[in-house]
Amino acid sequence: MLLGAGLALRTGLSPARAASDTPRRIVSTSPSITGILLAIDAPVVASAATTPSSITDAKGFFSQWAAEADHRGVAVLYPNVAFDIEAVVGAKPDLVVVSATGRDSAAPHQAELEALGIRSVVVDYSSRSWQELAVELGRATGLEAQAQAAIRRFNEDMAEAARAIDPRGAKVSVVGYDIAGSYSVARHTSPVAQLLDALGFTVVSVPPSLKPNSTRASDFVFFSRENLSAAITGDNVFLLRATARDVEAFLAEPVLANHPAIVHRRVYPLGPTSFRIDPYSGRQVADALRAAFSKP
């Protein structure tokens, strides 16, 4: 399965853009989108940073793309994804990229930006693959060819990784375990599931009879801790945003003690950057699984 092939565009942006309108100074108000902009060689001069944590560098840039941002001289626009209009104006952008949803959304400030004559584009990353976003951002920035090239390189890398992986017929549940106190299982249509499919694994869904905690649209279905065992239908568990230490905590979870994946210790970390799949974290996930499921 190749990711991102023949994607349909979901915005009304014109595919044609005069060379004079092509942005040369892009500001990203969404750290969740910055990595995709970097992957398509967009001229990003500054990005909002999130609160520093185990999944970021010291500045609050997500660790999967932080080194690339430093290499390109991307400045911190403002910290803790706390929108700062003065910082945006001071960066002198000719395009501001805004998320429609999420903690890093600056969508409520779009009218304020436009009143100042600052062009902006709003995209929604909440339930879409990075490839879809890359195509949309390519149209907005005049970098359509670069977006397609980034997708093609990623597909080639995933195909190479898949040839080195022995999935062993594994049916997989992707689990978010105790992430900010929440418990969830990925839908088989989620970007992380699409990535695993491309690597040869089969991601299974939760039982339709099991009632989730939340009815909101999401790539993950959220459950109470007590219902987590019933929600995990895979033979193997791939832990989201996880390291070996998180696997040990999961294996020691009392409510999961009798689950076959626990009993047979078929639990694998997808790495700390797997919380959101972009071209950088996607490659890191593939590397982790190639190490765990390498062909003999």
Side-chain angles (χ1 to χ4, degrees):
M1 173 183 174
L2 292 182
L3 302 176
L7 293 170
L9 298 175
R10 300 187 183 181
T11 70
L13 296 169
S14 170
R17 182 175 298 282
S20 60
D21 293 334
T22 300
R24 297 184 179 182
R25 293 182 60 83
I26 294 176
V27 160
S28 172
T29 61
S30 170
S32 294
I33 297 172
T34 302
I36 303 171
L37 289 166
L38 292 172
I40 67 171
D41 295 325
V44 182
V45 297
S47 171
T50 189
T51 305
S53 69
S54 61
I55 59 175
T56 74
D57 69 359
K59 301 186 298 296
F61 283 174
F62 287 134
S63 57
Q64 64 262 39
W65 52 259
E68 181 66 19
D70 290 345
H71 176 70
R72 299 198 198 179
V74 178
V76 173
L77 182 63
Y78 47 74
N80 304 317
V81 290
F83 184 78
D84 183 340
I85 187 65
E86 292 183 0
V88 174
V89 173
K92 300 180 180 179
D94 44 25
L95 179 67
V96 177
V97 177
V98 176
S99 168
T101 58
R103 179 170 167 255
D104 58 355
S105 175
H109 303 279
Q110 189 182 22
E112 186 178 0
L113 291 170
E114 293 182 352
L116 293 171
I118 300 173
R119 187 164 68 91
S120 61
V121 58
V122 179
V123 297
D124 185 356
Y125 66 77
S126 62
S127 59
R128 301 173 65 191
S129 70
W130 78 261
Q131 292 93 336
E132 292 173 291
L133 293 172
V135 171
E136 183 174 338
L137 291 167
R139 289 185 64 188
T141 59
L143 297 171
E144 295 97 330
Q146 290 87 335
Q148 291 296 342
I151 292 169
R152 183 172 61 254
R153 288 193 300 269
F154 187 82
N155 285 341
E156 291 169 353
D157 289 346
M158 294 306 101
E160 179 184 354
R163 288 191 291 270
I165 288 174
D166 178 9
R168 303 165 201 169
K171 291 188 179 354
V172 173
S173 289
V174 181
V175 178
Y177 174 72
D178 197 14
I179 297 177
S182 70
Y183 303 86
S184 60
V185 177
R187 300 181 190 274
H188 70 276
T189 55
S190 64
V192 67
Q194 293 177 42
L195 172 64
L196 296 174
D197 283 343
L199 294 173
F201 298 95
T202 301
V203 177
V204 292
S205 298
V206 300
S209 58
L210 194 60
K211 186 176 181 181
N213 273 4
S214 173
T215 57
R216 66 185 176 90
S218 172
D219 290 329
F220 285 77
V221 186
F222 290 82
F223 298 93
S224 67
R225 180 179 174 186
E226 292 71 24
N227 283 337
L228 187 58
S229 181
I232 298 173
T233 57
D235 304 316
N236 291 17
V237 170
F238 287 177
L239 282 186
L240 198 72
R241 210 181 81 172
T243 63
R245 179 180 296 181
D246 299 303
V247 169
E248 292 305 314
F250 186 81
L251 290 170
E253 172 58 63
V255 301
L256 298 172
N258 296 320
H259 194 284
I262 298 289
V263 173
H264 298 290
R265 300 183 69 87
R266 294 194 295 258
V267 182
Y268 305 89
L270 290 181
T273 65
S274 58
F275 63 95
R276 187 168 304 287
I277 300 300
D278 62 29
Y280 300 98
S281 62
R283 288 181 172 92
Q284 292 173 0
V285 169
D287 288 344
L289 292 175
R290 180 153 47 182
F293 290 85
S294 60
K295 289 182 177 178

